[in-house]
Amino acid sequence: MPRRTPKEELQSRVREIERFYHKNGRMPSYAEIGDLLGFRSKDSSFKLVGKLEKLKIIIRDKKGRLIPKSLGMPVKVLGTVEAGFPSPAEEELTDTISLDDLLIKNREATFLLKVSGDSMKDAGIMPGDMVIVDRGMTPKSGHIVIAQVDGEWTMKYLEKRGDAFYLVAANVKYKPILPKSELKIAGVVTAVVRKYM
Amino acid sequence: MDNQPLTISSFPQAIMHIDVDAFFASCEQAIHPELKGRPVITGRERGIVAAASYEAKARGVQRGMRLFEVRKICPDCIILPSDYETYSLFSVRMFEILRRFSPDVEEYSIDEAFVDLTGLRRSFHGSYESIAENMRRTIEAELGITVSAGVSLSKVLAKIGSKHNKPNGLTVIPGREIHVYLEKLPVEKVWGIGANTTAFLKKHGIVTALQFAKREEDWVARYLSKPYREIWHELNGRSVYPVVTETKNSYQSISKAKTFTPASTDEAFVFAQLSKNLENACIKARRYRLAATRLVIFLRKQDFTSEGVEIRLNKPSSYPLELFDLLRRGFERVFGPGELYRQTGVVLAGLVPENGIQDSLFDDTARIEKMSKIYESLDGISQKYGKHTIQHGASLPAGLQAQHEGERGDVPVRKASLLKGENQRQRLGMPMMHIKV
């Protein structure tokens, strides 16, 4: 490691004191500065404080207690500036969400369902796919829903004609279903998952 | 005098008790919607009824009944193997939904909760009744299971309320109406009052909960011990039992018992079952950083009689390796050759915090250190690859026979139909709906 210049040395010492101030909400005593920076005597602490006072980084009150001046700003600085290309890791990645968060809105109301039929194939839902079903959502026209029509379970688009709801497949093989007696919706399909390997 | 209210304030505090109706069977009906309205029971792998839907109960099916009896009285009953993984997911979700309404939720059991609603009327712009009804509705809409609930001034009264109108009911008991609900309630139906106390109270002319609640305080103080004095206060609308919100982080004892079918006479197999229970109990103890000072072993025979022994440990432990010798000795005491066994169980009792264990002068500290290292890595491996990835040799014969043999389909659907990427040990933490679409 290259030797640090006196300036760098001083900066690192100030940073140590800053860290203490943030952590404890108060300035360190002379003895604590000694512990912090590895000084052997309190005299070294005293000299450092004198230096910092001259630089207007800290001041001393009447009783000699330290008061921060241009130090210990409570604002958290966004990373540190370094030469070269900055690491994008921390700040850029704080606002990302997981795949779970993306696919699931209301965790407690979410269920999985394995698809066996091909009635929604033109909507991109194939036999063997997993669909994510939200039971708590209010179904609206245009949603893909899991529904019970006249005793039979099915997955279709929910459509509205006038006041009446009916079900439409995404496959020309199947005709629209107009419920004769009853239409019960068990949930709304919010996503489809297909895992290849 | 009986129509005199016990208290005149309606809701100095509001405690809600929620109980899922026929929990395991309801979960099955929620993930198999075609089973709604039909008699459903769970427990197929155990050969007895673990839970029965209300439709099955209406036909005379009761908990603990043997399956051949069920088939006799209710031939169209749907008998399913228990799917504890799914039930646990439903349980966790119910508590999460309740926490949307109040932070003070006590997870009393897998399907029961207490919620402190005090002070919530303002933020929800409505009565305690409407808040409670809203909670019930949300659970039903999102999970597809119904719950029964009671709202009153204390836990004991809330519990009376939730039992009052089952299934799918809500009973609100404000202070000035407590006496109405207690008047016809036999005192033995009150939470915490058992057969002995009931008999004792009867001798003093107390038959109903109201008669008990109306006794003078000095009578109660003279004749009854603290728990019953507390119940007496609770019945009078003075809340003594707080809603405990911390999730359980301490246990007094941990027990693990498992049934296997068919029953077995094979000594190595039965011991392996016992050893597996010991491993499981120890895993749980270590998770909570606890160690046992007593070990209880029991074996249950085909005729449902059990025998057991209790062993005092020289030093608290949660490491199977240290306990195997004792387990073996205890097992030999109770195991009878030629007997048919259907269940084994292990209880770790007298639990103490792991870090408080005092090593004795004669302990080999190097060995203790080694032991803790072995189990630390073992627990790490389990976390990554699933429980029992590595197990003790003594437990291996448990694999000689499937846990439950005989009828096909004794494995819950969730475990039988794995998704790509899932394995026998680890699956997605989300319940599956079983609908053919």
mmCIF file of all heavy atoms in Angstrom, chain B residues 291-308:
data_model
loop_
_atom_site.group_PDB
_atom_site.id
_atom_site.type_symbol
_atom_site.label_atom_id
_atom_site.label_comp_id
_atom_site.label_asym_id
_atom_site.label_seq_id
_atom_site.Cartn_x
_atom_site.Cartn_y
_atom_site.Cartn_z
ATOM 1 N N ALA B 291 -32.771 -26.359 24.305
ATOM 2 C CA ALA B 291 -32.268 -27.703 24.564
ATOM 3 C C ALA B 291 -33.150 -28.343 25.618
ATOM 4 O O ALA B 291 -33.688 -27.665 26.489
ATOM 5 C CB ALA B 291 -30.822 -27.637 25.042
ATOM 6 N N ALA B 292 -33.325 -29.668 25.514
ATOM 7 C CA ALA B 292 -34.244 -30.373 26.400
ATOM 8 C C ALA B 292 -33.534 -30.879 27.639
ATOM 9 O O ALA B 292 -32.361 -31.228 27.603
ATOM 10 C CB ALA B 292 -34.874 -31.544 25.663
ATOM 11 N N THR B 293 -34.287 -30.917 28.754
ATOM 12 C CA THR B 293 -33.730 -31.541 29.949
ATOM 13 C C THR B 293 -34.418 -32.879 30.216
ATOM 14 O O THR B 293 -33.963 -33.665 31.030
ATOM 15 C CB THR B 293 -33.908 -30.640 31.189
ATOM 16 O OG1 THR B 293 -35.290 -30.295 31.304
ATOM 17 C CG2 THR B 293 -33.097 -29.372 31.051
ATOM 18 N N ARG B 294 -35.549 -33.102 29.537
ATOM 19 C CA ARG B 294 -36.236 -34.383 29.671
ATOM 20 C C ARG B 294 -36.652 -34.882 28.300
ATOM 21 O O ARG B 294 -36.966 -34.087 27.410
ATOM 22 C CB ARG B 294 -37.472 -34.243 30.566
ATOM 23 C CG ARG B 294 -37.127 -34.193 32.049
ATOM 24 C CD ARG B 294 -38.351 -33.912 32.886
ATOM 25 N NE ARG B 294 -38.841 -32.557 32.685
ATOM 26 C CZ ARG B 294 -40.125 -32.254 32.497
ATOM 27 N NH1 ARG B 294 -41.041 -33.208 32.458
ATOM 28 N NH2 ARG B 294 -40.488 -31.010 32.319
ATOM 29 N N LEU B 295 -36.629 -36.210 28.151
ATOM 30 C CA LEU B 295 -36.994 -36.820 26.880
ATOM 31 C C LEU B 295 -38.109 -37.831 27.139
ATOM 32 O O LEU B 295 -37.969 -38.698 27.992
ATOM 33 C CB LEU B 295 -35.762 -37.511 26.285
ATOM 34 C CG LEU B 295 -35.961 -38.401 25.060
ATOM 35 C CD1 LEU B 295 -36.351 -37.586 23.845
ATOM 36 C CD2 LEU B 295 -34.691 -39.180 24.769
ATOM 37 N N VAL B 296 -39.226 -37.654 26.447
ATOM 38 C CA VAL B 296 -40.343 -38.586 26.609
ATOM 39 C C VAL B 296 -40.486 -39.389 25.319
ATOM 40 O O VAL B 296 -40.410 -38.835 24.222
ATOM 41 C CB VAL B 296 -41.664 -37.831 26.902
ATOM 42 C CG1 VAL B 296 -42.812 -38.816 27.082
ATOM 43 C CG2 VAL B 296 -41.504 -36.953 28.121
ATOM 44 N N ILE B 297 -40.654 -40.690 25.476
ATOM 45 C CA ILE B 297 -40.798 -41.567 24.319
ATOM 46 C C ILE B 297 -42.122 -42.296 24.461
ATOM 47 O O ILE B 297 -42.443 -42.766 25.558
ATOM 48 C CB ILE B 297 -39.669 -42.630 24.317
ATOM 49 C CG1 ILE B 297 -38.316 -41.951 24.214
ATOM 50 C CG2 ILE B 297 -39.874 -43.629 23.203
ATOM 51 C CD1 ILE B 297 -37.179 -42.920 24.491
ATOM 52 N N PHE B 298 -42.917 -42.358 23.393
ATOM 53 C CA PHE B 298 -44.100 -43.215 23.503
ATOM 54 C C PHE B 298 -44.351 -43.972 22.204
ATOM 55 O O PHE B 298 -43.983 -43.529 21.119
ATOM 56 C CB PHE B 298 -45.336 -42.434 23.953
ATOM 57 C CG PHE B 298 -45.793 -41.392 22.982
ATOM 58 C CD1 PHE B 298 -46.683 -41.716 21.955
ATOM 59 C CD2 PHE B 298 -45.364 -40.073 23.096
ATOM 60 C CE1 PHE B 298 -47.115 -40.758 21.064
ATOM 61 C CE2 PHE B 298 -45.790 -39.108 22.209
ATOM 62 C CZ PHE B 298 -46.672 -39.442 21.189
ATOM 63 N N LEU B 299 -44.944 -45.144 22.356
ATOM 64 C CA LEU B 299 -45.307 -45.987 21.218
ATOM 65 C C LEU B 299 -46.806 -46.254 21.308
ATOM 66 O O LEU B 299 -47.313 -46.527 22.396
ATOM 67 C CB LEU B 299 -44.559 -47.321 21.263
ATOM 68 C CG LEU B 299 -43.030 -47.281 21.322
ATOM 69 C CD1 LEU B 299 -42.485 -48.709 21.376
ATOM 70 C CD2 LEU B 299 -42.456 -46.548 20.124
ATOM 71 N N ARG B 300 -47.483 -46.162 20.173
ATOM 72 C CA ARG B 300 -48.922 -46.426 20.198
ATOM 73 C C ARG B 300 -49.200 -47.680 19.385
ATOM 74 O O ARG B 300 -48.722 -47.819 18.258
ATOM 75 C CB ARG B 300 -49.670 -45.226 19.634
ATOM 76 C CG ARG B 300 -51.168 -45.452 19.575
ATOM 77 C CD ARG B 300 -51.883 -44.187 19.206
ATOM 78 N NE ARG B 300 -52.133 -43.386 20.403
ATOM 79 C CZ ARG B 300 -52.879 -42.294 20.408
ATOM 80 N NH1 ARG B 300 -53.399 -41.859 19.287
ATOM 81 N NH2 ARG B 300 -53.091 -41.629 21.519
ATOM 82 N N LYS B 301 -49.997 -48.569 20.001
ATOM 83 C CA LYS B 301 -50.284 -49.836 19.345
ATOM 84 C C LYS B 301 -51.483 -49.728 18.428
ATOM 85 O O LYS B 301 -52.216 -48.725 18.445
ATOM 86 C CB LYS B 301 -50.554 -50.914 20.417
ATOM 87 C CG LYS B 301 -49.312 -51.258 21.210
ATOM 88 C CD LYS B 301 -49.624 -52.377 22.184
ATOM 89 C CE LYS B 301 -48.666 -52.335 23.362
ATOM 90 N NZ LYS B 301 -49.248 -52.925 24.550
ATOM 91 N N GLN B 302 -51.684 -50.798 17.662
ATOM 92 C CA GLN B 302 -52.796 -50.833 16.719
ATOM 93 C C GLN B 302 -54.141 -50.640 17.414
ATOM 94 O O GLN B 302 -55.056 -50.057 16.860
ATOM 95 C CB GLN B 302 -52.755 -52.166 15.948
ATOM 96 C CG GLN B 302 -53.833 -52.342 14.910
ATOM 97 C CD GLN B 302 -53.732 -51.326 13.775
ATOM 98 O OE1 GLN B 302 -52.955 -50.392 13.815
ATOM 99 N NE2 GLN B 302 -54.566 -51.502 12.776
ATOM 100 N N ASP B 303 -54.255 -51.137 18.678
ATOM 101 C CA ASP B 303 -55.533 -50.976 19.396
ATOM 102 C C ASP B 303 -55.624 -49.609 20.088
ATOM 103 O O ASP B 303 -56.463 -49.413 20.966
ATOM 104 C CB ASP B 303 -55.713 -52.122 20.407
ATOM 105 C CG ASP B 303 -54.603 -52.119 21.464
ATOM 106 O OD1 ASP B 303 -53.758 -51.194 21.439
ATOM 107 O OD2 ASP B 303 -54.585 -53.028 22.306
ATOM 108 N N PHE B 304 -54.748 -48.666 19.714
ATOM 109 C CA PHE B 304 -54.761 -47.281 20.193
ATOM 110 C C PHE B 304 -54.345 -47.116 21.651
ATOM 111 O O PHE B 304 -54.494 -46.048 22.218
ATOM 112 C CB PHE B 304 -56.136 -46.618 19.967
ATOM 113 C CG PHE B 304 -56.378 -46.256 18.527
ATOM 114 C CD1 PHE B 304 -56.897 -47.191 17.644
ATOM 115 C CD2 PHE B 304 -56.067 -44.989 18.054
ATOM 116 C CE1 PHE B 304 -57.108 -46.859 16.313
ATOM 117 C CE2 PHE B 304 -56.274 -44.656 16.728
ATOM 118 C CZ PHE B 304 -56.801 -45.595 15.850
ATOM 119 N N THR B 305 -53.838 -48.180 22.293
ATOM 120 C CA THR B 305 -53.282 -47.964 23.625
ATOM 121 C C THR B 305 -51.829 -47.542 23.462
ATOM 122 O O THR B 305 -51.162 -47.936 22.506
ATOM 123 C CB THR B 305 -53.321 -49.259 24.478
ATOM 124 O OG1 THR B 305 -52.597 -50.286 23.778
ATOM 125 C CG2 THR B 305 -54.743 -49.728 24.720
ATOM 126 N N SER B 306 -51.344 -46.714 24.374
ATOM 127 C CA SER B 306 -49.956 -46.254 24.253
ATOM 128 C C SER B 306 -49.166 -46.594 25.495
ATOM 129 O O SER B 306 -49.712 -46.738 26.588
ATOM 130 C CB SER B 306 -49.885 -44.740 24.077
ATOM 131 O OG SER B 306 -50.936 -44.273 23.336
ATOM 132 N N GLU B 307 -47.871 -46.673 25.295
ATOM 133 C CA GLU B 307 -46.975 -46.839 26.421
ATOM 134 C C GLU B 307 -45.801 -45.900 26.237
ATOM 135 O O GLU B 307 -45.366 -45.675 25.106
ATOM 136 C CB GLU B 307 -46.451 -48.282 26.466
ATOM 137 C CG GLU B 307 -47.113 -49.110 27.548
ATOM 138 C CD GLU B 307 -46.599 -50.521 27.514
ATOM 139 O OE1 GLU B 307 -45.599 -50.764 28.202
ATOM 140 O OE2 GLU B 307 -47.182 -51.342 26.789
ATOM 141 N N GLY B 308 -45.283 -45.378 27.342
ATOM 142 C CA GLY B 308 -44.174 -44.449 27.194
ATOM 143 C C GLY B 308 -43.266 -44.417 28.400
ATOM 144 O O GLY B 308 -43.583 -44.989 29.444
#
